[in-house]
Amino acid sequence: MSRSLPVICMLMQVGPDTVAAMEQCASVEREVDKVLQKFLTYGQHCEQSLEELLHYVGQLRAELASAALQGTPLSATLSLVMSQCCRKIKDTVQKLASDHKDIHSSVSRVGKAIDRNFDSEICGVVSDAVWDSREKQQQILQMAILEHLYQQGMLSVAEELCQESTLNVDLDFKQPFLELNRILEALHEQDLGPALEWAVSHRQRLLELNSSLEFKLHRLHFIRLLAGGPEKQLEALSYARHFQPFARLHQREIQVMMGSLVYLRLGLEKSPYCHLLDNSHWAEICETFTRDACSLLGLSVESPLSVSFASGCVALPVLMNIKAVIEQRQCTGVWSHKDELPIEIELGMKCWYHSVFACPILRQQTSDSNPPIKLICGHVISRDALNKLINGGKLKCPYCPMEQNPADGKRIIF
């Protein structure tokens, strides 16, 4: 322990060389930008060249058709033009093929830039003893990839992965993703029917989540009727009855929509209510549905794979520095637990999913095996700290003089 403490203190001060890391990323980014620029230039040049060829061949074809209608033999001039046309087509195709090969070399330079600027041996950052068996790792990774594919709507790819990896996935796992993707596809096509049907069938549970999904769906349908002009005015008025259950919570928004009816004959596009026709409402309803439906079904909005990947990109440079220090000091025992890191790595507010409690006595983060315990005086310490503070069957709170029975402490869950 005495040997590990200085190393841990040193690790706490070790951070990635930000300037160097950014320069490495910028170097690769420059190569990628060159490839993208070449793709763009090549695409424009290819399109222009092919259009010119089509126009040239079309003119020649018209001249040949005219000569055939007149019954005149093929003139020497037309024969020469046809030869020039064939040569031009051949030269253009060869030029496009040569430019395409040049793009391949640019793509290969991106790979070389990545190899030159980044450590390819990232698997060795952590000792194998920290992880589970290779078979279990592979199974967890395959399930994470599978869930990501289902969540992204790539159902055919997910099914192919199930067959090739021999993963046994039952229908109960797939069904929520299939239903979500079916409704999202309909929303992308501006079809509100499936989403409204789903929201109505889950109304009570959505209300418990304080969700406004059903109201927003009805509002969007009402706006679509308004966009139909004066011919849809009566239908819009009739549909407005769907707003009655939401009048208390969304009174202001309902008033705005009803007020827009005044300008229906003049055209909402030129009225103070033109914002109702903004296409951003469709993107908003897709986000709202995804968030609320995932919450209702116990799914995360972002797939665990994408979250893990993003977090790994932030944490990996720090872990590589830790590895270098551990190897330099020859203290491999500093990091031997798979459920915690030797130092804290800041991943940003986006990755804060739950509260964390650190024992103020032992200065250790609590866990399932060492949970936080609330004393009768109100102070909270870890179970390990509580056991160490017991003296003669009694416990004296380290923050106040109150003596108490250790058995009176209650586990709390944040």
Side-chain angles (χ1 to χ4, degrees):
M1 183 67 180
S2 59
R3 187 184 178 192
S4 300
L5 281 175
V7 178
I8 294 177
C9 292
M10 184 175 179
L11 291 178
M12 293 293 287
Q13 297 173 356
V14 171
D17 189 343
T18 308
V19 176
M22 292 303 295
E23 181 55 37
Q24 289 170 339
C25 294
S27 177
V28 176
E29 188 176 15
R30 283 193 292 269
E31 293 295 337
V32 173
D33 288 340
K34 289 179 184 177
V35 173
L36 294 176
Q37 184 59 42
K38 283 194 174 183
F39 265 115
L40 180 61
T41 305
Y42 175 78
Q44 294 173 345
H45 175 65
C46 184
E47 186 176 356
Q48 183 180 354
S49 300
L50 292 176
E51 285 182 355
E52 290 177 358
L53 274 181
L54 287 172
H55 181 69
Y56 187 61
V57 172
Q59 287 182 328
L60 180 59
R61 182 181 179 183
E63 292 180 17
L64 290 172
S66 177
L69 287 174
Q70 294 175 6
T72 57
L74 192 64
S75 64
T77 304
L78 276 178
S79 298
L80 179 63
V81 171
M82 286 182 65
S83 299
Q84 291 175 344
C85 181
C86 292
R87 194 179 302 112
K88 185 173 183 180
I89 292 173
K90 184 179 179 180
D91 292 344
T92 302
V93 171
Q94 288 179 345
K95 179 69 168 60
L96 292 176
S98 175
D99 292 344
H100 194 267
K101 287 181 181 179
D102 185 47
I103 292 178
H104 278 285
S105 63
S106 298
V107 172
S108 67
R109 282 196 290 272
V110 173
K112 291 176 182 177
I114 292 173
D115 294 338
R116 187 171 59 251
N117 288 282
F118 298 101
D119 189 349
S120 58
E121 284 299 322
I122 59 174
C123 295
V125 169
V126 185
S127 171
D128 290 337
V130 173
W131 308 114
D132 294 313
S133 64
R134 183 172 293 276
E135 293 75 16
K136 190 171 182 180
Q137 287 184 49
Q138 187 175 11
Q139 184 181 8
I140 292 173
L141 179 60
Q142 288 173 348
M143 285 300 297
I145 295 173
L146 189 67
E147 183 174 344
H148 178 79
L149 293 173
Y150 276 124
Q151 195 154 353
Q152 296 300 315
M154 294 181 277
L155 308 180
S156 59
V157 183
E159 292 298 327
E160 190 70 25
L161 176 62
C162 282
Q163 294 175 8
E164 293 186 6
S165 63
T166 65
L167 282 173
N168 186 17
V169 180
D170 56 29
L171 187 60
D172 292 338
F173 176 80
K174 302 177 186 179
Q175 192 58 42
F177 299 106
L178 297 175
E179 186 175 20
L180 286 180
N181 282 294
R182 176 182 64 84
I183 296 173
L184 279 174
E185 285 179 7
L187 287 176
H188 288 140
E189 297 293 327
Q190 299 192 355
D191 179 9
L192 294 168
L196 271 170
E197 183 181 347
W198 185 90
V200 170
S201 63
H202 295 84
R203 176 178 294 167
Q204 189 57 41
R205 295 181 64 190
L206 287 171
L207 288 174
E208 291 173 2
L209 294 174
N210 293 321
S211 169
S212 58
L213 175 63
E214 186 181 352
F215 168 74
K216 288 182 177 180
L217 288 167
H218 285 305
R219 182 185 66 178
L220 198 53
H221 186 81
F222 184 82
I223 291 172
R224 290 191 70 181
L225 293 175
L226 294 180
E231 295 81 7
K232 295 284 186 178
Q233 183 172 359
L234 290 178
E235 187 177 350
L237 284 169
S238 176
Y239 191 83
R241 61 185 174 82
H242 289 93
F243 295 138
Q244 185 177 356
F246 312 101
R248 184 174 62 85
L249 295 176
H250 301 280
Q251 181 180 359
R252 175 61 182 164
E253 292 166 276
I254 295 172
Q255 289 173 344
V256 169
M257 285 185 289
M258 301 311 293
S260 66
L261 291 168
V262 177
Y263 293 87
L264 203 57
R265 295 188 181 278
L266 301 176
L268 287 182
E269 299 85 358
K270 300 177 182 179
S271 74
Y273 300 93
C274 59
H275 64 277
L276 294 176
L277 304 178
D278 197 332
N279 282 329
S280 63
H281 293 304
W282 289 100
E284 180 190 350
I285 201 65
C286 288
E287 292 177 4
T288 303
F289 172 78
T290 302
R291 183 184 66 250
D292 292 352
C294 285
S295 178
L296 201 67
L297 298 172
L299 302 172
S300 58
V301 177
E302 292 184 84
S303 73
L305 181 66
S306 61
V307 173
S308 300
F309 181 81
S311 301
C313 289
V314 176
L316 191 58
V318 183
L319 297 180
M320 293 177 72
N321 281 334
I322 293 173
K323 176 195 172 187
V325 174
I326 290 176
E327 290 178 348
Q328 182 182 5
R329 289 300 192 97
Q330 298 180 352
C331 291
T332 55
V334 172
W335 188 2
S336 58
H337 301 288
K338 64 183 180 182
D339 59 346
E340 65 179 50
L341 298 173
I343 66 168
E344 184 176 353
I345 298 177
E346 181 59 52
L347 297 178
M349 290 289 293
K350 189 178 180 182
C351 293
W352 286 17
Y353 295 103
H354 54 79
S355 300
V356 174
F357 177 76
C359 175
I361 305 301
L362 300 181
R363 301 190 183 280
Q364 292 178 350
Q365 184 175 313
T366 53
S367 61
D368 290 337
S369 59
N370 179 30
I373 303 295
K374 177 180 173 290
L375 306 179
I376 59 174
C377 57
H379 294 109
V380 180
I381 59 177
S382 66
R383 178 177 288 168
D384 287 351
L386 182 144
N387 292 333
K388 290 182 179 182
L389 290 170
I390 296 175
N391 186 10
K394 289 289 184 179
L395 170 68
K396 185 176 181 180
C397 176
Y399 288 98
C400 64
M402 181 179 289
E403 281 195 1
Q404 51 202 292
N405 188 343
D408 292 336
K410 293 184 179 180
R411 178 179 177 174
I412 60 174
I413 299 174
F414 291 97

